Amino acid sequence: MRVEKIGRDFDVSRPWLNRVLEREPRRSLCAVNEVSFSIRKGETLALVGESGCGKSTVARMIVGLHTPSRGRIVFDGADLADPQSAPLRRRMQMIFQDPYASLNPRWRVRAIVAEPIVAHGLVRDQARLAARVSELLAQVGLVAEDGDKFPHEFSGGQRQRISIARALSANPEFLVCDEPTSALDVSVQAQILNLMKDLQTRLGLTYLFISHNLAVVAHIATRVGVMYLGSLVEIADAKQLFERPRHPYTRMLIDAIPDLQMTGKARTPVAGEVPNPLAPPSGCAFHPRCPHADGRCRSERPELITQEPGSAVACQAIGRRVGLDHSSL
């Protein structure tokens, strides 16, 4: 999977009559701005950031729920905007944040899990279809008899298992996981994460994992991309990012993780509020909250620059004219 400078704008204008009477122009919200990354087969790339940073919009563009306003998305060498690439959509599926809202409450679990199989024509014989659904339920830790129940008869963790079974039913290679554990209790979160890691190992899956919880990301991710106000500000291998965060925003996010070991390490509190995306700051979007911001940060938008193999950061202060490095941040 390769994402090349994708962006998405939403029309947030007031109704036409209001605009005419009050002489207001149309208004556009840039939710995602020139985001680029690649995901290698078999790895897990996590996108993290505060609520409203655009990570879920990126996920929805990849699976086709939103159309990119600009840029392109390439999967296995094919541009997904090309109508000829439609069959590739079967090879990618999505797990949604709310396991109950994403399941049809009027359908039994057996029909929910079987829907992608039927839609793609993978199995036509009813006996084989029932066997396949039972196999999928067993893969996620449920039993075949659960197929006769409705979603409301399950706990939150069990519903998310059903969502995972449905995502796996089309035999995908690539899964987009949009905060799949955020609505679950902490103990259930660990069960779902362990299940996903086990399935990845057994089935050779590739994940794009969306989350705002860095503790969860540290458990599952191979590489991590950090987003802020619609842009990617840092991307690196997970171990490298947690040990040596380069961007000030990444450092603030990591410092927000509770220190259970009570190491006494100095921490930088997350200061300020996320700017209004309808009126983003000039230059670097993070400069109103950054302790290292200077005049250049307020006037120039930083580009994502590769610092070392597998690592890139968008910050004026790192390794450039200001002369700071990660140890200074």
Side-chain angles (χ1 to χ4, degrees):
M1 171 66 67
R2 190 169 73 254
V3 173
E4 300 177 353
K5 294 189 175 182
I6 61 170
R8 173 69 190 191
D9 300 328
F10 292 98
D11 187 349
V12 293
S13 305
R14 297 180 68 189
W16 174 80
L17 184 58
N18 295 79
R19 287 189 283 110
V20 170
L21 293 176
E22 300 178 23
R23 298 184 180 181
E24 289 186 0
R26 299 188 72 91
R27 304 183 72 185
S28 179
L29 169 65
C30 181
V32 176
N33 185 29
E34 294 191 358
V35 169
S36 300
F37 58 80
S38 61
I39 310 175
R40 296 183 290 266
K41 184 175 181 178
E43 76 171 3
T44 300
L45 173 67
L47 285 184
V48 301
E50 294 169 291
S51 296
C53 70
K55 52 189 186 297
S56 292
T57 304
V58 170
R60 290 172 176 270
M61 284 193 286
I62 288 176
V63 298
L65 295 179
H66 291 323
T67 302
S69 303
R70 53 197 167 273
R72 68 177 195 149
I73 302 170
V74 180
F75 181 68
D76 199 15
D79 188 341
L80 292 181
D82 186 348
Q84 300 297 324
S85 67
L88 291 176
R89 292 290 183 187
R90 182 190 63 79
R91 296 166 58 186
M92 58 179 71
Q93 296 292 324
M94 187 167 183
I95 302 171
F96 294 90
Q97 178 176 354
D98 188 341
Y100 189 63
S102 65
L103 302 176
N104 191 328
R106 296 177 180 270
W107 285 17
R108 297 185 186 273
V109 167
R110 193 177 306 280
I112 292 173
V113 175
E115 183 183 17
I117 303 175
V118 175
H120 291 289
L122 300 179
V123 176
R124 302 187 183 278
D125 180 74
Q126 291 299 312
R128 290 178 57 200
L129 179 62
R132 176 58 177 158
V133 171
S134 298
E135 178 187 356
L136 288 164
L137 292 175
Q139 275 188 340
V140 298
L142 300 174
V143 295
E145 289 74 15
D146 289 329
D148 297 323
K149 299 178 182 178
F150 291 95
H152 73 267
E153 299 180 70
F154 295 89
S155 67
Q158 289 173 321
R159 290 175 195 149
Q160 198 61 287
R161 290 174 185 268
I162 295 168
S163 297
I164 295 172
R166 179 182 59 184
L168 294 175
S169 64
N171 299 321
E173 303 167 23
F174 178 70
L175 287 183
V176 176
C177 312
D178 186 9
E179 303 200 33
T181 61
S182 64
L184 307 177
D185 293 337
V186 174
S187 59
V188 180
Q189 285 184 16
Q191 296 173 15
I192 296 299
L193 290 173
N194 289 333
L195 170 65
M196 293 178 65
K197 291 184 70 173
D198 179 61
L199 290 171
Q200 184 177 33
T201 301
R202 287 195 283 130
L203 303 178
L205 299 173
T206 304
Y207 291 149
L208 173 63
F209 192 90
I210 309 296
S211 181
H212 63 269
N213 188 336
L214 282 177
V216 169
V217 167
H219 181 72
I220 195 170
T222 310
R223 294 166 61 230
V224 181
V226 182
M227 289 190 65
Y228 184 78
L229 208 63
S231 298
L232 201 62
V233 298
E234 184 170 2
I235 186 167
D237 291 340
K239 183 178 180 181
Q240 175 183 338
L241 183 130
F242 282 98
E243 290 181 353
R244 294 189 300 152
R246 292 177 175 268
H247 198 279
Y249 178 61
T250 308
R251 172 62 61 87
M252 287 184 179
L253 289 179
I254 293 176
D255 284 349
I257 302 175
D259 185 5
L260 299 181
Q261 282 75 35
M262 302 295 287
T263 59
K265 183 179 67 173
R267 291 171 171 264
T268 303
V270 179
E273 299 290 338
V274 178
N276 182 356
L278 287 172
S282 61
C284 175
F286 187 62
H287 84 255
R289 306 172 67 186
C290 180
H292 306 285
D294 59 10
R296 187 179 177 210
C297 299
R298 298 179 181 91
S299 60
E300 295 182 28
R301 182 176 179 271
E303 298 293 331
L304 197 66
I305 304 296
T306 300
Q307 295 292 312
E308 54 188 71
S311 172
V313 61
C315 182
Q316 306 282 14
I318 297 178
R320 301 177 74 180
R321 297 179 194 171
V322 180
L324 297 177
D325 60 19
H326 68 270
S327 62
S328 307
L329 298 177

